[in-house]
């Protein structure tokens, strides 16, 4: 049983036929195959940010591949293999809008973020509460921000570059990813704490995926024109 997101285009998105597609899903399938499981033996379980650690601890899933950032706090309760991708908070604008060059450009721009996400909070921390009241719009999810950006009701959307790329790749040519991340998120595969044997096997599978060209194929297939921002696989952090 593998925990993945069901609501993030390009990463983990449930299809009308019930299947799940995206970069995280491709990585999960590759790793599972290397561990000896065929596609028809894999079951995907919807996993949201808040229940990733409990699902692993309770045994509801064997591994989690769900935009899961490796942090010291999380490593206190689970283990991580990877990272298999490094991203950071970035900015999405309309393709024709070249006036936004980096995070400092957002000081006087209308920005859309998702309620409950850490990404808007990072901007408020940088620019202050008055900025929040004047320039920040928060929606229930980043998918709801895209129409606002397209219709020029906001100037930018800001969150993980992977999430922005996944949404924007659905509308080729309409949006521009600035490509100036101002945080670092290392996506890892979560598993039961101190299961070193399985962790080593997963790391070996990730390493093979990097070297045989599969990783780059998955990047290009899921992020389209934005795959250029994820050009090279990261270094594994074995422990």
């Amino acid at each position: 049983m593998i925990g993945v997101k069901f609501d993030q285009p390009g990463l983990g998105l449930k299809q009308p036929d019930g299947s799940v597609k995206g970069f995280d899903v491709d990585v999960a399938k590759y790793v599972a195959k290397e561990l000896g499981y065929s596609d028809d033996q894999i079951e995907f379980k919807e996993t949201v940010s808040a229940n990733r650690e409990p699902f692993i601890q309770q045994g509801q899933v064997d591994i989690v591949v769900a935009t899961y950032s490796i942090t010291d706090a999380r490593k206190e309760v689970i283990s991580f293999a990877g990272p298999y991708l490094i991203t950071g908070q970035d900015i999405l604008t309309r393709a024709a809008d070249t006036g936004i060059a980096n995070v400092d450009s957002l000081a006087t721009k209308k920005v859309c973020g998702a309620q409950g996400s850490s990404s808007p909070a990072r901007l408020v921390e940088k620019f202050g509460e008055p900025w929040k009241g004047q320039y920040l719009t928060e929606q229930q999810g980043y998918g709801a921000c895209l129409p606002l950006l397209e219709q020029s009701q906001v100037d930018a959307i800001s969150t993980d570059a992977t999430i922005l790329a996944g949404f924007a790749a659905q509308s080729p040519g309409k949006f521009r990813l600035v490509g100036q991340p101002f945080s670092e998120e290392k996506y890892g595969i979560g598993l039961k704490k101190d299961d070193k044997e399985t962790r080593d096997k997963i790391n070996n599978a990730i390493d093979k995926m990097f070297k045989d060209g599969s990783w780059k194929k998955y990047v290009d297939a899921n992020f389209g024109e934005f795959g250029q921002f994820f050009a090279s696989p990261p270094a594994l952090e074995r422990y």
Side-chain angles (χ1 to χ4, degrees):
M1 185 77 76
I2 301 176
V4 297
K5 296 282 182 75
F6 276 17
D7 62 349
Q8 291 191 334
L11 291 157
L13 185 67
K14 192 169 186 179
Q15 305 298 302
D17 65 1
S19 64
V20 194
K21 290 186 177 180
F23 180 76
D24 281 351
V25 176
D26 289 339
V27 170
K29 286 180 177 178
Y30 186 100
V31 168
K33 184 177 180 182
E34 289 299 307
L35 295 181
Y37 297 93
S38 60
D39 281 1
D40 59 3
Q41 292 177 299
I42 301 170
E43 188 175 345
F44 290 108
K45 183 180 180 71
E46 182 175 16
T47 307
V48 299
S49 296
N51 62 22
R52 289 175 298 198
E53 284 100 60
F55 274 15
I56 293 169
Q57 291 173 306
Q58 296 161 10
Q60 293 194 47
V61 297
D62 298 296
I63 60 173
V64 167
V65 192
T67 63
Y68 204 1
S69 296
I70 300 171
T71 68
D72 289 339
R74 288 171 177 162
K75 284 165 79 171
E76 292 292 322
V77 292
I78 62 150
S79 286
F80 280 105
Y84 61 88
L85 188 74
I86 294 181
T87 186
Q89 186 168 342
D90 213 318
I91 303 160
L92 192 73
T93 68
R94 290 177 292 281
D97 184 354
T98 57
I100 296 176
N102 52 43
V103 65
D104 292 329
S105 304
L106 299 181
T108 56
K109 299 292 184 180
K110 292 181 179 177
V111 180
C112 190
Q115 296 169 358
S117 168
S118 61
S119 299
R122 188 175 279 120
L123 293 174
V124 173
E125 186 177 334
K126 178 176 178 63
F127 295 123
E129 287 294 329
W131 178 89
K132 178 180 180 180
Q134 187 173 358
Y135 293 109
L136 182 64
T137 297
E138 291 186 278
Q139 300 294 313
Q140 287 194 328
Y142 288 102
C145 288
L146 274 183
L148 300 182
L149 180 60
E150 190 172 0
Q151 296 158 16
S152 300
Q153 294 180 45
V154 298
D155 302 304
I157 307 169
S158 184
T159 189
D160 287 7
T162 46
I163 295 171
L164 296 173
F167 278 114
Q170 296 182 306
S171 306
K174 283 190 177 181
F175 303 104
R176 176 175 70 91
L177 187 62
V178 171
Q180 294 292 324
F182 50 97
S183 72
E184 183 178 77
E185 309 293 338
K186 297 178 179 181
Y187 288 174
I189 295 179
L191 68 155
K192 264 201 163 50
K193 185 167 171 62
D194 297 331
D195 183 354
K196 188 176 187 307
E197 182 181 355
T198 303
R199 189 173 71 227
D200 287 345
K201 288 179 180 178
I202 294 173
N203 275 326
N204 290 340
I206 294 171
D207 190 44
K208 183 178 177 182
M209 177 180 68
F210 290 164
K211 291 175 177 174
D212 70 9
S214 296
W215 183 87
K216 186 66 168 66
K217 182 177 75 174
Y218 301 153
V219 165
D220 292 340
N222 291 293
F223 299 127
E225 63 187 288
F226 304 102
Q228 61 178 305
F229 293 101
F230 314 104
S232 302
L236 289 173
E237 297 178 1
R238 297 178 184 265
Y239 65 99

